[in-house]
């Protein structure tokens, strides 16, 4: 009786213009006394992700209403997503996913795909062989 929204990542590929992580900036980490603890660098890489959302409901009308409400919410919260690591969020398509046909005898399903560009950040701290050896012994 209660509609559900399920999701899956259909694909995640590096952007053609950003095929590998790129250097962003050097960083230093300090302890509470202001003494430098370690240094490192920040690297970033952009990925295009296709995310499929499946809206499952007991009938056609409810599934369509939930899908429209979901699309409105995605539009409304795009700014929030962008503040939290999503570089871009675009509606890509609505379609009928044939792999879900067996469930359509009992429920109504709407499938939509959004394209999200994610900026994946890597923190790399300078490490010596001795530090690696010490961490292994713990």
């Amino acid at each position: 009786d209660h509609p559900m929204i399920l999701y899956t990542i259909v694909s995640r590929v590096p952007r053609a213009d950003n095929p590998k992580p790129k250097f962003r900036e050097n960083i230093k980490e300090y302890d509470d006394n202001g003494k430098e603890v370690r240094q490192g660098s920040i690297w970033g890489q952009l990925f295009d992700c296709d995310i499929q959302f499946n809206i499952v409901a007991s009938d056609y009308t409810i599934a369509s209403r939930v899908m429209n409400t979901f699309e409105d919410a995605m539009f409304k919260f795009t700014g929030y997503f962008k503040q939290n690591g999503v570089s871009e969020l675009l509606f890509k398509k609505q379609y009928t996913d044939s792999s879900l046909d067996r469930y359509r005898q009992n429920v109504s399903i709407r499938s939509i795909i959004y394209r999200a560009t994610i900026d994946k950040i890597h923190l790399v701290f300078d490490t010596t062989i001795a530090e690696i050896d010490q961490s292994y012994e713990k």
Side-chain angles (χ1 to χ4, degrees), residues 17-136:
D17 59 343
N18 194 204
K20 61 183 181 177
K22 289 185 179 178
F23 173 78
R24 300 283 175 84
E25 66 181 289
N26 286 315
I27 57 171
K28 292 183 180 184
E29 185 176 71
Y30 299 92
D31 65 14
D32 293 339
N33 298 321
K35 180 184 173 193
E36 184 180 316
V37 177
R38 60 184 175 169
Q39 60 184 2
S41 56
I42 298 175
W43 296 73
Q45 184 174 12
L46 296 174
F47 290 90
D48 284 329
C49 305
D50 285 346
I51 306 165
Q52 179 173 324
F53 295 93
N54 296 307
I55 292 95
V56 181
S58 58
D59 67 45
Y60 177 88
T61 304
I62 294 172
S64 294
R65 188 173 67 237
V66 171
M67 182 183 68
N68 289 330
T69 302
F70 177 78
E71 288 179 21
D72 291 344
M74 291 295 279
F75 179 77
K76 179 180 177 182
F77 290 105
T78 295
Y80 173 80
F81 296 138
K82 286 186 173 190
Q83 290 175 352
N84 289 281
V86 176
S87 298
E88 191 64 71
L89 182 65
L90 303 168
F91 179 88
K92 187 173 178 184
K93 69 178 178 177
Q94 177 183 351
Y95 76 113
T96 301
D97 186 344
S98 60
S99 70
L100 301 173
D101 283 348
R102 64 182 174 193
Y103 303 107
R104 285 191 168 76
Q105 295 174 7
N106 300 317
V107 292
S108 186
I109 303 172
R110 301 289 172 277
S111 297
I112 53 178
I113 293 184
Y114 278 82
R115 164 72 50 92
T117 301
I118 306 294
D119 192 2
K120 185 169 183 176
I121 302 298
H122 302 274
L123 297 175
V124 180
F125 289 102
D126 297 342
T127 307
T128 65
I129 297 297
E131 290 171 327
I132 294 171
D133 193 39
Q134 289 171 357
S135 68
Y136 176 73

